[in-house]
Amino acid sequence: MQTFDFDLFVIGGGSGGVRAARMAAQRGARVALAECAELGGTCVNVGCIPKKLYSYAAGYAESFEESAGYGWKIGEPHFDWATLKSRRADEIHRLNGVYRGLLDGAGVTLIQGWAQLADPHSVQVGEKRHTAKHMLIATGGMPFVPDVAGREHVVVSDAMFDLDPFPKRLLVVGGGYIACEFASIFNGLGSEVIQVQRNAHLLNGFDDDVRQFLASEMRRAGIDIRLNSEVEMITRRPEGLCAMLGRGQRVDVDAILYATGRVPNTQGLGLEALGVKLDARGGVVVDAHYRSSVPSVFAVGDVSTRQQLTPVALAEAMVVVDALFGKGQRQLDYEFTPTAVFTHPNIGTCGYTEAQARDKFGDVTVFSSEFRALRHTLSGSKERTFMKLVVDKASDRVVGIHMVGADAGEIVQGFAVAMRAGATKAVFDSTIGIHPTAAEEFVTMRA
Ligand code: NDP
């Protein structure tokens, strides 16, 4: 019988890779994980975590302003970008250590360096070759920037956390999660933000009412959103960057962020040479159990281009670990995956948009509500909250929940449990609200 150095070799120390390595090792498997950068991947280092910290930072600007309505008198607030950057860096460094501690604690062998598959059961890292029964590719994704003239002058989301100097004027290109979140963050921190989106709406794939409502709230907050607009050329000038948009529009800014999607990180891993099938975007093609076209090679998370979300990568990793080291084979159900966009205000959503629900279920009933949150009756803010439920008429099941408003992600997370459990509108209606909250609106919608 062939013997291997390890039972599982994981390439990539981000959310999916670390989860798989740690849990497999805890179940007694001999596991190695190779990572060439800091542990934690995109989420910890240049994604979800620092983004959310910066989103909190931006939120203080609104809070300082609103506090006057509650009787507070404070001096002119001053934002120090250098302090935020260095405090974020310290926290991320701490988290890198936490990840290392988790792997060490579970007995995972951490190998620093670039790993390349040499054959279905071996990996080359530097001078050394390691063998394993199973390989897991969890190398995530990276930002994609289209081929625009002057592309060398733009930055991607990875660079936004350490920009130097702070961009007083920022152009954000794209209308997806990352573009909307950074537009909100930098607007809150004090930049003049212009956001350019190539089609007629932000946030493709979200409920149409949510897309429109969010755009109007972001505009109210001061972001200059230009829809049906594209960048044709970028040039560097002594006073900053100049972007030419269609129809002769010119924009002068200090920095340009391209947030135009992310592509799987599959280059240089030896996948093609091994015969691992890749899709048109370069993502690893996997079956329902995350097995690639080479039976010993698995892939989870953004590298296999399903839903590009940290919790999805974690869940996929657990499916692989269960199948290989314990509980047996099962299949992940992607229906009712909740998600949030940390714009100001936040979006929280779970299930089907109204249009998707009409396509899938036919007859649906829609309940929606728009209001000023209690907090803003005194704060003076004009911010509004939007909530929507989509119900399948035949079964009465709530199949879509959508919110734009403060803490939408926190609120929708709880409702996602009920939706996965198959809660009907009657169950929502029979649930007692928590008063006074915005969330209670979801159990009191009658029209
Ligand atoms: P998205 O796919 O969400 O959005 C990409 C945007 O770029 C779209 O508006 C798209 O326009 C536009 N675009 C694409 N190609 C071009 C082009 N050639 N020229 C101009 N515009 C273009 O990608 P993101 O980069 O924002 O984020 C990647 C993924 O990361 C997200 O989909 C999400 O899954 C994940 N993520 C999740 C977060 C969260 O959970 N809060 C936060 C950040 C990221 P169009 O609409 O016309 O296609």
Side-chain angles (χ1 to χ4, degrees), residues 10 47 61 65 82 94 106 118 129 184 246 250 287 310 313 340 343 351 357:
V10 180
E65 217 169 282
R94 187 187 72 81
R129 189 165 285 216
S184 279
R250 173 185 161 159
D287 65 13
T310 291
T343 39

Side-chain angles (χ1 to χ4, degrees), residues 64-364:
F64 290 137
E65 217 169 282
E66 292 166 13
S67 67
Y70 282 91
W72 290 95
K73 284 193 178 54
I74 48 173
E76 187 66 26
H78 169 76
F79 170 62
D80 185 36
W81 177 229
T83 302
L84 177 61
K85 287 197 290 187
S86 97
R87 293 196 39 85
R88 177 219 88 234
D90 290 348
E91 173 57 13
I92 300 307
H93 185 64
R94 187 187 72 81
L95 289 175
N96 297 144
V98 169
Y99 269 65
R100 175 176 281 269
L102 288 173
L103 292 176
D104 287 347
V108 175
T109 303
L110 182 58
I111 300 169
Q112 194 74 28
W114 185 267
Q116 198 171 27
L117 287 166
D119 67 48
H121 293 286
S122 48
V123 185
Q124 190 76 30
V125 188
E127 300 290 297
K128 210 154 176 222
R129 189 165 285 216
H130 308 269
T131 60
K133 185 168 183 202
H134 309 289
M135 304 288 178
L136 178 65
I137 313 296
T139 46
M142 60 180 171
F144 157 79
V145 178
D147 201 11
V148 61
R151 174 182 198 271
E152 64 277 15
H153 302 305
V154 312
V155 292
V156 294
S157 54
D158 298 7
M160 292 304 284
F161 302 102
D162 269 319
L163 284 182
D164 188 24
F166 180 81
K168 292 202 178 84
R169 301 163 302 167
L170 174 68
L171 173 63
V172 176
V173 182
Y177 278 77
I178 296 179
C180 291
E181 290 183 339
F182 276 108
S184 279
I185 288 169
F186 278 84
N187 178 59
L189 295 179
S191 300
E192 272 173 40
V193 179
I194 299 172
Q195 184 177 358
V196 167
Q197 157 69 334
R198 66 179 175 182
N199 71 30
H201 296 284
L202 301 177
L203 290 170
N204 196 5
F206 282 73
D207 186 88
D208 287 343
D209 288 337
V210 166
R211 298 168 82 182
Q212 276 177 25
F213 190 85
L214 180 78
S216 73
E217 285 300 317
M218 286 174 70
R219 281 185 166 130
R220 193 209 305 275
I223 299 167
D224 176 357
I225 298 174
R226 303 192 191 178
L227 300 170
N228 297 311
S229 188
E230 285 197 66
V231 175
E232 292 180 346
M233 188 176 64
I234 296 159
T235 48
R236 186 176 284 288
R237 309 221 164 165
E239 64 283 4
L241 297 174
C242 169
M244 293 307 297
L245 311 182
R247 301 184 293 277
Q249 285 184 62
R250 173 185 161 159
V251 168
D252 291 286
V253 289
D254 303 309
I256 300 178
L257 164 66
Y258 261 73
T260 41
R262 293 175 61 83
V263 289
N265 255 334
T266 44
Q267 294 285 312
L269 298 175
L271 294 169
E272 292 99 324
L274 212 65
V276 174
K277 208 166 151 206
L278 304 182
D279 62 23
R281 291 172 51 96
V284 179
V285 176
V286 290
D287 65 13
H289 306 108
Y290 311 104
R291 196 186 287 270
S292 76
S293 55
V294 173
S296 59
V297 178
F298 294 76
V300 294
D302 290 3
V303 77
S304 68
T305 53
R306 284 164 199 255
Q307 294 168 339
Q308 297 178 317
L309 300 170
T310 291
V312 169
L314 299 177
E316 291 178 352
M318 285 315 299
V319 172
V320 171
V321 171
D322 281 349
L324 298 180
F325 307 107
K327 296 185 178 164
Q329 202 154 75
R330 62 190 169 88
Q331 212 167 307
L332 199 62
D333 177 4
Y334 292 86
E335 201 183 28
F336 301 111
T337 300
T339 180
V341 187
F342 295 101
T343 39
H344 293 230
N346 292 182
I347 295 176
T349 183
C350 181
Y352 296 85
T353 67
E354 183 181 338
Q356 289 166 345
R358 285 192 194 285
D359 272 358
K360 187 174 167 78
F361 303 100
D363 224 355
V364 298

Side-chain angles (χ1 to χ4, degrees), residues 411-422:
I411 291 169
V412 167
Q413 177 69 84
F415 281 103
V417 177
M419 290 175 68
R420 282 197 60 81

